[in-house]
Amino acid sequence: MSRDSSSRTLVLLTGGTGGAKLVLGFHEETAPEDLVVVCNTADDSVVHGLHVSPDVDTIVYTLAGLIDPAKGWGIHDDTFAVLEQIQRLGGETWFHLGDRDIATHLTRTRLLTEGQPLSRVTAALCQALGVKSTVLPMSDQRVETRLSTSAGELSFQEYFVKARWQPEVLSLRYRGIETCGPSPGLLEAIHGAALVVVCPSNPATSIGPILAVPGVRAALRETPAKVAAVSPMVQGRSFSGPAHKLMATLGVEASVTGLAAAYRDFVDVLVIDTEDRGLQPAIEQLGVDARATSIRMDTLDDKKRLARELLQFSV
Amino acid sequence: MSRDSSSRTLVLLTGGTGGAKLVLGFHEETAPEDLVVVCNTADDSVVHGLHVSPDVDTIVYTLAGLIDPAKGWGIHDDTFAVLEQIQRLGGETWFHLGDRDIATHLTRTRLLTEGQPLSRVTAALCQALGVKSTVLPMSDQRVETRLSTSAGELSFQEYFVKARWQPEVLSLRYRGIETCGPSPGLLEAIHGAALVVVCPSNPATSIGPILAVPGVRAALRETPAKVAAVSPMVQGRSFSGPAHKLMATLGVEASVTGLAAAYRDFVDVLVIDTEDRGLQPAIEQLGVDARATSIRMDTLDDKKRLARELLQFSV
């Protein structure tokens, strides 16, 4: 447990919307250049031929001050002229892409086609948008969450956006995960961090893929840094989205106790909501330290306060 | 010279802006379903990863009533949110793509990637936009005009848009032309037409590639239909663009006489401006009938009148 006390790097593992709230809190409470935000890419999709990285984009737009705060994704005040015309041309429009957002995807797709890895493309987008933090896609290789559901096999976006997470999910897998590798610098960042935070994102479809990238889970177990996780649910229900519905695919119950069971091999402390404080003993029986606080992040002040509380765990 | 007198098909060979004016005239003066518009595709470019077909789009937009009448290309009242954001992301923006225009290119690129040929993609776009005429790209295979210039080798769009047709053009070639084939139905349309019209487009970079598609020039020579051509220039200068500058690459002088020399093997009648009527004898010495009239098409009435005059040559 000896740590390099000079490190101020905070490594945040995150999906989109929920995790992005906490990422913004850290961004406001620390030096942005000390943040390394590791994003799930297993929801990446090809939409109208464009490579869309929903979680990466949500994080980049959040850090760039471009995010649409009402929706939690996309660019604020974006227009939809392209999509409206695509509809007129008979194309599918269930995946809502704004015009400025499409510029991101066009640029990313062009750079990927030119042979640049996703991590370098993401760094270029960050630089162009003035983002000082490091945003790392979990892998430069393509990984895709596939859900076996009551409505057949679906990609995550088909399940989440098109089917509005109504089908029953029987199982899921991360296609391509075995042969992918972590983005350059990812394992090193975990090892050298002052603190690692697993953000309140879906454990099955956002955090799960990151943990399944070869080397990542072992690095989290072995890092000298403390690893904290923030629950994405209260009293067995997620704040938004289907996290609670998908806990069974991890073989655990839909509760913070189930979460502790899923993360117990690498998490030092699990931050749960005060409403769940009755489960603290059950979590600690699993060998995970449990801290109860308000984990709702409705306002910027909520986000900053939660980030400050987590910073207390850093070296 | 025996013709199928039941045919009412008008085959128009055209590039973009200049030719599109006459295409619109025919569209107003005939039944739209009788028009087969054959478009140059040697200016097609990949822009931000998207397959752009400038001449096809200009014709489709013109026939769909979407064209920007002031510019002669693009969609009227289009917005530029995508391009502005691409600029912010550090991308090139010299090729002006509007948002609704980008929807066309996204749809085309997606369908091409799915394996559909350009002719079928174009038909689908026409159908979606309510275009009743047949718009045929000259070929389903990729052909690219390459210009050897005083500023190095350029694509047509680099020469025309980026360099504003200022470099001196030494020679040009249509890369891929030898191995391409005409679009399905193109040769048959020429053979069965009531009239073929070579529109007032650039003889070197718009009409030239169409004529060079294997089989097209022979079909024009052999069709029982009359073949009429409208000059894109008056007194040795084109109405717009660099046509006159590029005549030398065809081995002829920049004049309607040069044009007659270039087209003499397949054109029955060349329509020239009244200002050029002094050149009628020289043209007729080349074995080409010459008709002088006003070929300026500033107003819709001009376009319709010129179309009506040409319709007199049909069977």
Side-chain angles (χ1 to χ4, degrees):
Chain A
M1 287 288 178
S2 72
R3 285 185 287 269
D4 173 6
S5 60
S6 69
S7 171
R8 294 180 307 172
T9 302
L10 302 173
V11 174
L12 312 178
L13 311 188
T14 187
T17 14
K21 294 181 179 181
L22 186 56
V23 170
L24 182 59
F26 278 109
H27 186 261
E28 299 300 302
E29 289 296 319
T30 62
E33 51 271 32
D34 289 342
L35 289 185
V36 176
V37 190
V38 180
C39 298
N40 169 46
T41 58
D43 302 347
D44 286 18
S45 299
V46 174
V47 184
H48 305 298
L50 303 178
H51 185 111
V52 179
S53 281
D55 291 352
V56 170
D57 288 337
T58 293
I59 295 304
V60 171
Y61 294 161
T62 296
L63 296 174
L66 290 174
I67 197 80
D68 183 320
K71 291 190 299 197
W73 53 268
I75 294 179
H76 64 79
D77 298 322
D78 208 351
T79 48
F80 289 85
V82 176
L83 206 69
E84 286 162 15
Q85 187 69 11
I86 284 177
Q87 182 162 41
R88 187 171 174 189
L89 295 175
E92 291 197 332
T93 55
W94 57 268
F95 200 99
H96 286 177
L97 298 177
D99 296 330
R100 286 169 188 79
D101 195 26
I102 284 174
T104 302
H105 311 317
L106 278 167
T107 302
R108 172 187 293 118
T109 306
R110 177 176 61 78
L111 294 172
L112 287 172
T113 304
E114 288 173 12
Q116 294 197 33
L118 185 60
S119 55
R120 206 183 308 158
V121 172
T122 305
L125 290 170
C126 282
Q127 189 176 25
L129 294 173
V131 172
K132 297 200 174 72
S133 305
T134 301
V135 179
L136 280 184
M138 67 186 204
S139 176
D140 279 333
Q141 285 83 47
R142 190 86 177 80
V143 176
E144 189 185 5
T145 297
R146 302 293 300 179
L147 298 98
S148 172
T149 80
S150 54
E153 182 170 309
L154 301 175
S155 74
F156 180 74
Q157 298 302 337
E158 287 166 340
Y159 165 73
F160 186 65
V161 182
K162 195 175 186 184
R164 296 161 193 265
W165 43 285
Q166 292 313 302
E168 187 192 352
V169 176
L170 309 169
S171 67
L172 57 77
R173 67 196 165 100
Y174 313 129
R175 188 160 69 187
I177 198 80
E178 300 82 4
T179 52
C180 84
S183 278
L186 197 169
L187 301 184
E188 295 77 358
I190 290 174
H191 186 79
L195 174 67
V196 178
V197 177
V198 179
C199 292
S201 290
N202 192 318
T205 55
S206 296
I207 303 301
I210 301 175
L211 298 176
V213 172
V216 169
R217 197 164 188 129
L220 291 169
R221 281 194 213 108
E222 292 158 16
T223 178
K226 195 161 272 196
V227 179
V230 178
S231 168
M233 58 184 109
V234 175
Q235 297 200 323
R237 287 195 65 85
S238 33
F239 287 104
S240 69
H244 57 289
K245 290 189 168 191
L246 298 173
M247 292 292 282
T249 66
L250 297 174
V252 296
E253 64 171 48
S255 71
V256 289
T257 320
L259 196 68
Y263 290 169
R264 64 184 292 192
D265 59 310
F266 65 88
V267 156
D268 297 299
V269 55
L270 180 63
V271 178
I272 62 174
D273 195 75
T274 44
E275 288 187 40
D276 277 332
R277 70 151 62 91
L279 295 169
Q280 260 179 309
I283 293 168
E284 298 197 336
Q285 271 204 328
L286 293 165
V288 176
D289 196 6
R291 302 288 177 95
T293 184
S294 171
I295 60 172
R296 293 189 183 277
M297 291 185 283
D298 296 327
T299 67
L300 181 58
D301 277 345
D302 293 340
K303 298 168 194 174
K304 290 163 66 174
R305 181 197 43 75
L306 188 54
R308 280 198 307 275
E309 291 188 29
L310 284 154
L311 283 168
Q312 293 170 7
F313 299 123
S314 66
V315 275
Chain B
M1 289 290 179
S2 73
R3 285 185 286 271
D4 172 7
S5 59
S6 70
S7 170
R8 294 182 307 174
T9 301
L10 303 173
V11 174
L12 313 178
L13 311 188
T14 187
T17 15
K21 294 181 179 182
L22 185 56
V23 170
L24 182 59
F26 278 109
H27 186 260
E28 300 299 303
E29 290 294 320
T30 62
E33 50 271 31
D34 290 341
L35 289 184
V36 176
V37 189
V38 180
C39 299
N40 169 45
T41 58
D43 302 347
D44 286 18
S45 298
V46 175
V47 184
H48 305 298
L50 304 178
H51 184 112
V52 179
S53 280
D55 291 352
V56 170
D57 289 337
T58 294
I59 296 304
V60 171
Y61 294 160
T62 296
L63 296 174
L66 291 174
I67 198 81
D68 184 320
K71 291 189 299 199
W73 54 266
I75 293 179
H76 63 79
D77 298 322
D78 209 350
T79 48
F80 289 84
V82 176
L83 205 70
E84 286 162 14
Q85 187 69 11
I86 284 177
Q87 182 162 39
R88 188 172 172 187
L89 295 174
E92 290 198 332
T93 55
W94 58 267
F95 199 98
H96 285 178
L97 298 176
D99 296 329
R100 286 168 188 79
D101 194 28
I102 283 174
T104 302
H105 311 317
L106 278 166
T107 302
R108 172 187 293 119
T109 305
R110 177 175 61 80
L111 294 173
L112 288 172
T113 305
E114 289 173 13
Q116 293 197 35
L118 185 61
S119 55
R120 206 184 308 157
V121 173
T122 305
L125 290 170
C126 282
Q127 188 176 25
L129 294 173
V131 172
K132 295 197 175 72
S133 305
T134 301
V135 179
L136 280 184
M138 66 187 205
S139 176
D140 279 334
Q141 285 82 48
R142 189 87 179 81
V143 175
E144 189 184 6
T145 297
R146 303 292 302 178
L147 298 98
S148 173
T149 80
S150 54
E153 182 171 306
L154 301 175
S155 74
F156 180 73
Q157 299 301 338
E158 287 167 339
Y159 166 73
F160 185 63
V161 183
K162 195 174 186 182
R164 297 161 194 265
W165 44 284
Q166 293 313 303
E168 188 192 354
V169 176
L170 311 169
S171 66
L172 59 78
R173 65 197 167 101
Y174 314 129
R175 189 160 69 186
I177 198 80
E178 300 83 3
T179 52
C180 84
S183 278
L186 198 168
L187 300 184
E188 295 78 358
I190 290 173
H191 185 79
L195 174 67
V196 178
V197 177
V198 179
C199 292
S201 291
N202 191 316
T205 54
S206 296
I207 303 301
I210 302 175
L211 298 176
V213 172
V216 169
R217 198 165 189 128
L220 291 169
R221 280 193 213 108
E222 292 157 17
T223 178
K226 194 160 272 193
V227 179
V230 178
S231 167
M233 57 184 111
V234 174
Q235 296 199 326
R237 286 195 64 86
S238 33
F239 287 106
S240 68
H244 58 286
K245 289 189 169 190
L246 298 173
M247 293 291 282
T249 65
L250 297 174
V252 296
E253 65 171 47
S255 71
V256 288
T257 321
L259 195 66
Y263 290 170
R264 63 184 292 194
D265 59 312
F266 65 88
V267 156
D268 298 298
V269 55
L270 179 62
V271 177
I272 61 174
D273 196 75
T274 45
E275 288 188 41
D276 276 332
R277 70 152 60 94
L279 295 169
Q280 261 179 309
I283 293 168
E284 299 197 335
Q285 272 205 327
L286 293 165
V288 175
D289 197 7
R291 302 288 178 95
T293 184
S294 171
I295 61 171
R296 292 189 184 278
M297 292 184 283
D298 296 328
T299 68
L300 181 59
D301 277 346
D302 293 340
K303 298 167 193 174
K304 290 162 68 174
R305 181 196 44 73
L306 188 54
R308 279 198 307 275
E309 292 188 30
L310 284 154
L311 283 167
Q312 293 170 4
F313 300 124
S314 65
V315 275

Coordinates of all heavy atoms in Angstrom, one line a residue, chain B residues 63 87 98-99 146 170 186 188 213 228 256 268:
Chain B
L63 N -34.3 19.3 -60.0 CA -35.5 18.6 -60.4 C -36.5 18.5 -59.2 O -37.7 18.5 -59.4 CB -35.2 17.3 -61.0 CG -34.4 17.2 -62.3 CD1 -34.1 15.8 -62.7 CD2 -35.2 17.9 -63.4
Q87 N -15.1 23.0 -38.6 CA -14.0 24.1 -38.6 C -13.4 24.2 -37.2 O -12.2 24.2 -37.0 CB -14.5 25.4 -39.1 CG -13.5 26.5 -39.2 CD -13.9 27.6 -40.1 OE1 -15.1 28.0 -40.0 NE2 -13.0 28.1 -40.8
G98 N -23.7 22.2 -46.9 CA -24.8 22.5 -46.0 C -25.3 21.3 -45.2 O -25.0 20.2 -45.5
D99 N -26.1 21.6 -44.2 CA -26.5 20.5 -43.3 C -27.5 19.6 -44.1 O -27.3 18.4 -44.0 CB -27.3 21.1 -42.1 CG -26.3 21.9 -41.2 OD1 -25.1 21.6 -41.1 OD2 -26.8 22.9 -40.6
R146 N -8.4 14.1 -63.2 CA -7.1 14.6 -62.5 C -6.5 15.6 -63.5 O -6.3 15.4 -64.7 CB -6.1 13.4 -62.3 CG -6.7 12.3 -61.5 CD -6.9 12.6 -60.1 NE -5.7 13.1 -59.4 CZ -5.7 13.5 -58.1 NH1 -6.8 13.5 -57.4 NH2 -4.5 13.9 -57.6
L170 N -2.3 22.0 -67.7 CA -1.5 21.5 -68.8 C -2.1 20.4 -69.5 O -2.1 20.3 -70.7 CB -0.1 21.1 -68.2 CG 0.5 22.2 -67.3 CD1 1.7 21.7 -66.6 CD2 0.9 23.5 -68.1
L186 N -28.2 3.3 -69.8 CA -27.7 4.6 -70.4 C -27.6 4.4 -71.9 O -28.2 5.3 -72.7 CB -26.4 4.9 -69.8 CG -25.9 6.4 -70.0 CD1 -24.7 6.6 -69.1 CD2 -25.5 6.7 -71.4
E188 N -29.0 2.2 -73.8 CA -30.4 2.0 -74.4 C -31.2 3.2 -74.5 O -31.9 3.5 -75.4 CB -31.1 1.0 -73.5 CG -30.5 -0.4 -73.4 CD -29.2 -0.5 -72.5 OE1 -28.8 0.5 -71.9 OE2 -28.7 -1.6 -72.4
V213 N -16.9 7.5 -71.4 CA -17.3 6.2 -70.8 C -17.5 5.2 -72.0 O -18.1 5.5 -73.0 CB -18.7 6.4 -70.1 CG1 -19.2 5.0 -69.7 CG2 -18.5 7.3 -68.8
A228 N -28.3 17.1 -80.4 CA -28.0 18.5 -80.5 C -27.1 18.9 -79.3 O -27.2 18.3 -78.2 CB -29.3 19.3 -80.3
V256 N -16.8 28.3 -80.3 CA -17.8 27.4 -80.8 C -17.3 26.6 -82.0 O -17.8 25.4 -82.1 CB -19.1 28.1 -81.1 CG1 -19.8 28.6 -79.8 CG2 -18.9 29.2 -82.1
D268 N -25.3 16.4 -84.5 CA -26.0 16.8 -85.7 C -26.1 18.3 -85.8 O -26.0 18.9 -86.8 CB -27.4 16.2 -85.8 CG -27.4 14.7 -85.8 OD1 -26.8 14.2 -86.7 OD2 -27.9 14.1 -84.8

